């Protein structure tokens, strides 16, 4: 022996003793210590010095298992994995598969210990000296140890250490193997091995491999199938039949002949198996990984984004993503395939893949926040007329687009604020075709705001209108004046309480003069869920997509549950429902969209320059919002060179362009659901009690204003010439609780003479 010092000689002696014990742990190992002494002499001092630090037991991470995402009815939406694997018990693996694996990889597996002494000796004899292992000889237990170390490695350094071609690694594996054989039975080790092994073409574990190559289960594998899979483990890429069918066949046949040599199968079985075609490549089933292969890719990505936001899945986003792809989770979601199909049918009917405009629809269940459907006209991908953007959700989530301005659908929140303030549904405001609001003050939550040059117009009906009449016609000048009476703080607060926010910044919607005409960027998900609150009589529920998550042991993983609260009073919601129901009556902007015997309510929305058009509406059972828009920055007018359903959009409107998408989707979605009715609003919300008008004729404007206010009337100056007590002018006054009985409606305009 080469002299290396007393300390090193002692450690080499310990190494030889360890190897001898390891070899003698098998029934066929006697007399094989000498070759290992040579091994120790050929090694470096580093090898000898590491003997004292050899590990005592193998600590393995849980095997990486695919996670699956399901729809509400249990149908599979997507599979997520780093390695496609479906663990099974050994009893769920066919006997012939077990025999094939043992025959080709370690035929003495059940008779030797942690080390296959004969195989290792043969490898040592064939290898060249010099401290590197070039020939195999590892037992199944040693192979499992190596696979486990590779699987456990998280860094490049750990991966290198787990695969380095050195005697030091082999000794480490052997020590782990010795400990493992003390802890587990041979069957338990084989079970773990079959579940961990790489079978090529993205299939890990015998169950996934059986499904991938043969569309069967591990328990049903036949001899030729088992032989092919057993042969793959040595070189999963080189023997992959999808890469090289001839080489895969040759390797399979080696396994069959080895099984015949060992007496595992008969000559007749071998000959039959050898004549069997290797594989039908047309039947190889590649399991889609991730949302890109999902039936509902955009919805799937939104669900995954919410999972990655959940601290219960890990401390960091990276940890959560790893757990999602390896933890064997079962994720149940809210999507209803029947309602999703109805919404998709609407998209298919009213759009074409080559349209320059996009369309999107979200459907939500009132009273629960459950998101039932989410569709859009552009398919998922990077090709022509495809997109990775989800036009239904906010920008903070993966693929979220950031919304569109939603036009007059915002009028619903001003309606709610007015009813909440006590204004009845027959509250009248003189609403001219155009109104000059330049410089007029609008109160906000923090003060006041104004627009120095703002002269909005109506595109529909004008006149002395009630809430219902103005809503049916979507009269801008009415709702702008109504928002001046309510102030902007109340409708903005209601909108925020119903989940409305800027989809690009996630900040509250701006309280500007034109708030009621929809200047903020919102999403179909936000708007449909806010309108669902009206349908649920003021009960707001946060959008709810993930209904449960179970780990691989079927134990629940903590997730945010349903979050519902009474956001507005039921009687306020009843009033809004009555007004928006009128929109869908004959003569309303949504009158052509009514169908069946359903109670329906809705509102159109068209933003400035026709860059987007909306229809949002609901029945007591479901709410939906549909948008058609230009999705290319900078946004352009839909009338200008944009197509929908393969045709130029000549006259984009909420009712005529987005409305049919909403109508078709809701008709299909509501089919078969129970017929429900809106609750009729309290009569005092429809018409207030008559209030006597105090005598103010002949008074100066300031005196009349004080008298009216003391009597409970709301007073605004209707003529800017009234700027002093002595000035002649006009005072408009309203009773916020009623028609005042002095004139038709609740708006009174008097001409008051100033001076003595």
């Amino acid at each position: 022996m080469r002299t290396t010092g007393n300390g090193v000689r002692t450690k080499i002696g310990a190494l030889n003793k360890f190897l001898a014990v390891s070899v003698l742990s098998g029934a066929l190992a006697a007399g094989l210590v000498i070759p290992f002494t040579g091994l120790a002499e050929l090694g470096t001092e580093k090898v000898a010095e590491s003997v004292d630090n050899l590990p005592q037991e193998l600590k393995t991470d849980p095997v990486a298992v695919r996670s699956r995402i399901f729809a509400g009815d249990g149908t599979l939406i997507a599979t997520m994995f780093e390695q496609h694997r479906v663990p099974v018990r050994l009893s769920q693996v066919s006997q012939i598969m077990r025999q094939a694996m043992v025959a080709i990889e370690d035929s003495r597996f059940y008779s030797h210990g942690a080390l296959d002494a004969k195989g290792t000796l043969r490898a040592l004899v064939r290898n060249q000296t010099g401290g590197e292992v070039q020939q195999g000889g590892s037992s199944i237990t040693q192979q499992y140890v190596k696979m486990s170390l590779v699987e456990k490695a998280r860094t490049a350094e750990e991966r290198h250490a787990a695969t380095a071609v050195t005697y030091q690694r082999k000794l480490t594996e052997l020590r782990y193997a010795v400990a493992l054989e003390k802890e587990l039975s041979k069957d338990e080790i084989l079970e773990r091995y079959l579940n961990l092994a790489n079978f090529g073409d993205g299939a890990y574990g015998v169950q996934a491999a059986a499904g991938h190559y043969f569309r069967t289960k591990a328990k049903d594998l036949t001899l030729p199938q088992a032989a092919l899979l057993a042969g793959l483990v040595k070189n999963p890429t080189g023997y992959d039949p999808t890469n090289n069918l001839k080489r895969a066949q040759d390797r399979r046949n080696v396994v069959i002949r080895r099984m015949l040599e060992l007496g595992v199968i008969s000559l007749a079985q071998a000959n039959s198996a050898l004549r069997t075609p290797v594989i039908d490549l047309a039947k190889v089933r590649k399991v889609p990984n991730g949302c890109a292969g999902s039936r509902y890719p955009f919805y799937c990505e939104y669900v995954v984004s919410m999972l990655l936001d959940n601290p219960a899945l890990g401390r960091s986003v990276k940890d959560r993503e790893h757990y999602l792809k390896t933890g064997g989770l079962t994720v149940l979601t809210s999507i209803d395939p029947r309602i999703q199909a109805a919404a998709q049918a609407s998209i298919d009917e009213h759009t074409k893949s080559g349209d320059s405009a996009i369309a999107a629809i979200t459907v939500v269940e009132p009273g629960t926040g459950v998101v039932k459907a989410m569709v859009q006209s552009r398919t998922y991908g990077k090709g022509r007329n495809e997109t990775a953007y989800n036009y239904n959700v906010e920008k903070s989530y993966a693929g979220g687009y950031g919304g569109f301005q939603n036009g007059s659908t915002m009028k619903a929140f001003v309606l709610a604020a007015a009813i909440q303030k006590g204004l009845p549904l027959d509250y009248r405001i003189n609403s001219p075709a155009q109104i000059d609001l330049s410089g007029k003050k609008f109160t906000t939550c923090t003060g006041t705001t104004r627009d120095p040059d703002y002269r909005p117009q109506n595109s529909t009906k004008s006149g002395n209108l009630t809430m219902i009449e103005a809503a049916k016609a979507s009269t801008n000048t009415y709702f702008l004046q109504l928002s001046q009476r309510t102030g902007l703080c109340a409708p903005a607060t209601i909108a925020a309480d119903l989940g409305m926010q800027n989809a690009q910044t996630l900040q509250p919607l701006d309280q500007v003069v034109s708030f009621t005409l929809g200047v903020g960027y919102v999403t179909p998900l936000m708007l449909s869920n806010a309108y669902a609150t009206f349908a649920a009589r003021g009960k707001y529920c946060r959008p709810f997509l993930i209904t449960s998550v179970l780990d691989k042991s079927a134990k629940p993983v903590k997730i945010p549950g349903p979050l519902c609260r009474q956001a507005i009073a039921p009687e306020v919601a009843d009033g809004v429902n009555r007004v928006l129901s009128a929109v869908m009556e004959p003569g309303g902007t949504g009158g052509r969209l009514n169908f069946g015997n359903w109670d329906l309510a809705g509102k159109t929305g068209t933003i400035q320059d026709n860059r987007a058009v909306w229809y949002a509406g609901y029945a007591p059972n479901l709410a939906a919002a549909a948008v058609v828009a230009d999705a290319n920055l900078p946004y352009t007018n839909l009338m200008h060179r944009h197509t929908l359903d393969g045709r130029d959009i000549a006259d984009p409107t909420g009712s005529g362009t987005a409305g049919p998408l909403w109508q078709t989707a809701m008709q299909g979605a509501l089919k078969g659901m129970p017929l429900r009715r809106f609750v009729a609003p309290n009569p005092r919300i429809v018409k207030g009690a008559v209030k006597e008008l105090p005598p103010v004729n002949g008074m100066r404007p300031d005196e009349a204003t004080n008298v009216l206010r003391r009597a409970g009337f709301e007073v605004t100056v209707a003529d800017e010439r009234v700027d002093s007590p002595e000035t002649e002018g006009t005072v408009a006054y309203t009773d916020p609780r009623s028609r005042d009985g002095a004139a038709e409606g609740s708006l009174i305009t008097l001409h008051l003479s100033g001076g003595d």
Side-chain angles (χ1 to χ4, degrees):
M1 176 182 289
R2 176 168 51 89
T3 301
T4 58
N6 291 337
V8 174
R9 280 198 300 272
T10 300
K11 290 181 178 181
I12 289 176
L15 172 63
N16 286 331
K17 182 179 179 181
F18 162 68
L19 292 170
V21 171
S22 301
V23 172
L24 290 170
S25 66
L28 305 176
L32 295 178
V33 180
I34 295 176
F36 293 99
T37 303
L39 163 63
E41 290 182 317
L42 291 171
T44 64
E45 290 186 11
K46 184 176 180 181
V47 174
E49 290 171 356
S50 67
V51 174
D52 288 343
N53 297 321
L54 285 175
Q56 297 301 306
E57 61 178 330
L58 176 65
K59 294 182 179 179
T60 60
D61 286 347
V63 64
V65 182
R66 67 177 182 177
S67 293
R68 294 181 295 171
I69 302 174
F70 294 92
D73 67 350
T75 57
L76 183 66
I77 291 177
T79 305
M80 316 289 293
F81 55 84
E82 289 179 359
Q83 299 173 350
H84 180 228
R85 177 181 285 110
V86 186
V88 289
R89 306 291 298 179
L90 191 63
S91 60
Q92 296 172 289
V93 180
S94 69
Q95 181 69 22
I96 200 67
M97 179 67 223
R98 295 181 243 169
Q99 292 170 325
M101 187 61 76
V102 171
I104 196 61
E105 288 298 327
D106 186 0
S107 60
R108 290 179 293 277
F109 173 64
Y110 281 96
S111 58
H112 64 64
L115 176 71
D116 178 3
K118 288 185 179 180
T120 302
L121 176 60
R122 182 173 61 251
L124 288 168
V125 170
R126 292 179 182 177
N127 285 342
Q128 297 178 356
T129 60
E132 289 191 348
V133 178
Q134 299 174 5
Q135 173 71 29
S138 297
S139 67
I140 280 179
T141 305
Q142 287 174 279
Q143 289 182 52
Y144 170 72
V145 167
K146 180 180 179 180
M147 283 189 248
S148 296
L149 293 174
V150 171
E151 179 79 6
K152 187 177 181 180
R154 290 287 176 267
T155 66
E157 183 178 357
E158 290 174 343
R159 284 190 290 271
H160 175 74
T163 57
V165 188
T166 64
Y167 282 121
Q168 187 175 5
R169 176 182 65 79
K170 296 295 289 185
L171 292 174
T172 299
E173 287 177 6
L174 180 56
R175 184 64 187 90
Y176 277 140
V178 170
L180 202 64
E181 292 254 355
K182 292 179 180 178
E183 177 188 354
L184 303 175
S185 69
K186 290 288 189 178
D187 278 353
E188 288 172 325
I189 293 170
L190 182 60
E191 178 184 299
R192 292 189 178 193
Y193 179 88
L194 287 168
N195 280 315
L196 190 60
N198 180 1
F199 288 90
D201 203 31
Y204 290 80
V206 65
Q207 180 82 334
H212 177 66
Y213 292 111
F214 305 112
R215 300 200 176 194
T216 190
K217 295 182 179 179
K219 68 181 180 64
D220 298 321
L221 287 166
T222 63
L223 169 58
Q225 292 171 344
L228 176 69
L229 296 186
L232 281 168
V233 175
K234 181 178 181 180
N235 187 347
T237 301
Y239 296 137
D240 180 353
T242 66
N243 290 336
N244 190 322
L245 193 59
K246 177 63 169 60
R247 195 174 182 194
Q249 182 176 17
D250 291 343
R251 176 64 177 170
R252 181 202 68 170
N253 293 348
V254 167
V255 177
I256 293 171
R257 293 188 180 101
R258 178 60 175 160
M259 294 175 75
L260 176 62
E261 178 185 337
L262 294 170
V264 176
I265 59 175
S266 67
L267 180 60
Q269 287 176 305
N271 287 335
S272 175
L274 291 169
R275 289 192 298 268
T276 302
V278 179
I279 197 170
D280 183 351
L281 292 176
K283 292 185 178 180
V284 173
R285 181 170 55 191
K286 194 82 171 180
V287 175
N289 185 11
C291 293
S294 171
R295 289 189 297 162
Y296 316 129
F298 299 105
Y299 177 85
C300 173
E301 279 203 345
Y302 192 56
V303 166
V304 169
S305 292
M306 298 184 81
L307 290 169
L308 297 182
D309 271 353
N310 186 359
L313 271 64
R315 297 182 62 182
S316 68
V317 172
K318 186 176 180 180
D319 291 340
R320 295 165 203 161
E321 185 174 14
H322 177 69
Y323 184 41
L324 178 59
K325 293 182 178 180
T326 63
L329 302 178
T330 299
V331 181
L332 188 64
T333 71
S334 65
I335 196 168
D336 186 323
R338 186 190 67 80
I339 296 176
Q340 177 79 5
Q344 185 62 53
S346 180
I347 289 288
D348 295 342
E349 179 178 340
H350 298 292
T351 72
K352 295 285 191 297
S353 60
D355 289 338
S356 60
I358 63 94
I361 307 170
T362 295
V363 183
V364 176
E365 182 178 72
T368 66
V370 169
V371 179
K372 292 290 190 177
M374 186 179 286
V375 298
Q376 63 187 54
S377 57
R378 288 191 186 167
T379 55
Y380 188 91
K382 297 180 180 179
R384 182 178 174 83
N385 298 319
E386 294 180 330
T387 186
Y389 284 122
N390 184 345
Y391 298 117
N392 282 287
V393 304
E394 58 271 38
K395 203 170 186 177
S396 60
Y397 287 94
Y401 183 72
F404 304 93
Q405 291 176 309
N406 61 320
S408 292
T409 60
M410 288 301 296
K411 290 173 181 173
F413 306 103
V414 176
L415 277 172
I419 296 168
Q420 184 173 275
K421 185 179 176 67
L423 302 181
L425 305 190
D426 64 349
Y427 183 82
R428 289 188 177 273
I429 300 177
N430 184 29
S431 307
Q434 183 174 19
I435 189 170
D436 187 356
L437 295 176
S438 301
K440 294 292 181 67
K441 290 183 180 180
F442 284 66
T443 60
T444 67
C445 292
T446 57
T448 60
T449 188
R450 64 182 73 198
D451 189 320
D453 185 21
Y454 191 47
R455 297 174 177 84
Q457 300 178 4
N458 296 327
S459 58
T460 56
K461 184 177 181 179
S462 303
N464 190 25
L465 306 175
T466 65
M467 278 189 206
I468 291 179
E469 291 168 344
K472 288 182 72 171
S474 196
T475 303
N476 293 337
T477 59
Y478 179 95
F479 282 95
L480 285 162
Q481 293 181 88
L482 187 64
S483 68
Q484 191 176 29
R485 286 157 171 73
T486 64
L488 298 177
C489 185
T493 300
I494 290 172
D497 286 345
L498 271 55
M500 300 287 285
Q501 59 183 336
N502 189 307
Q504 297 185 350
T505 65
L506 302 187
Q507 296 299 311
L509 296 172
D510 293 334
Q511 294 178 39
V512 294
V513 173
S514 55
F515 176 87
T516 191
L517 303 185
V519 295
Y521 290 83
V522 303
T523 67
L525 174 58
M526 285 182 191
L527 190 56
S528 60
N529 196 48
Y531 273 40
T533 306
F534 298 130
R537 303 194 70 211
K539 181 182 178 183
Y540 168 79
C541 297
R542 181 176 57 191
F544 190 50
L545 285 84
I546 302 170
T547 56
S548 72
V549 178
L550 302 177
D551 66 15
K552 64 181 179 182
S553 300
K555 295 180 180 178
V557 175
K558 186 177 180 180
I559 59 169
L563 181 61
C564 299
R565 53 183 167 75
Q566 195 70 35
I568 56 177
E571 63 179 15
V572 172
D574 294 341
V576 173
N577 295 340
R578 173 66 193 96
V579 175
L580 296 188
S581 293
V583 172
M584 302 195 69
E585 294 171 356
T589 55
R592 292 179 298 173
L593 304 176
N594 216 324
F595 58 85
N597 294 318
W598 293 96
D599 274 3
L600 298 173
K603 187 69 192 71
T604 54
T606 303
I607 71 167
Q608 189 174 9
D609 297 328
N610 300 299
R611 294 190 296 266
V613 292
W614 293 74
Y615 198 85
Y618 51 93
N621 315 61
L622 292 174
V627 63
V628 175
D630 174 17
N632 301 308
L633 294 173
Y635 301 129
T636 57
N637 194 318
L638 287 173
M639 293 175 63
H640 298 157
R641 298 180 300 279
H642 280 294
T643 59
L644 188 73
D645 199 20
R647 298 187 294 270
D648 287 341
I649 304 176
D651 182 23
T653 63
S655 59
T657 309
L661 285 153
W662 176 89
Q663 180 189 46
T664 305
M666 285 290 281
Q667 272 187 295
L670 289 169
K671 188 176 182 179
M673 298 186 78
L675 193 65
R676 294 176 182 167
R677 301 296 183 191
F678 294 130
V679 175
N682 190 306
R684 69 180 179 81
I685 287 178
V686 179
K687 295 178 182 290
V690 174
K691 182 176 177 60
E692 185 177 351
L693 175 68
V696 293
N697 284 314
M699 292 184 181
R700 294 183 319 194
D702 60 330
E703 293 175 339
T705 297
N706 290 333
V707 169
L708 290 168
R709 284 175 176 164
R710 284 196 298 270
F713 290 87
E714 200 171 291
V715 180
T716 58
V717 176
D719 190 328
E720 286 300 310
R721 292 176 302 165
V722 181
D723 54 8
S724 71
E726 290 75 26
T727 303
E728 221 176 70
T730 303
V731 171
Y733 60 95
T734 59
D735 177 0
R737 295 163 293 177
S738 69
R739 296 178 304 160
D740 54 43
E744 183 179 3
S746 57
L747 176 69
I748 306 297
T749 301
L750 293 181
H751 183 78
L752 304 177
S753 299
D756 294 331

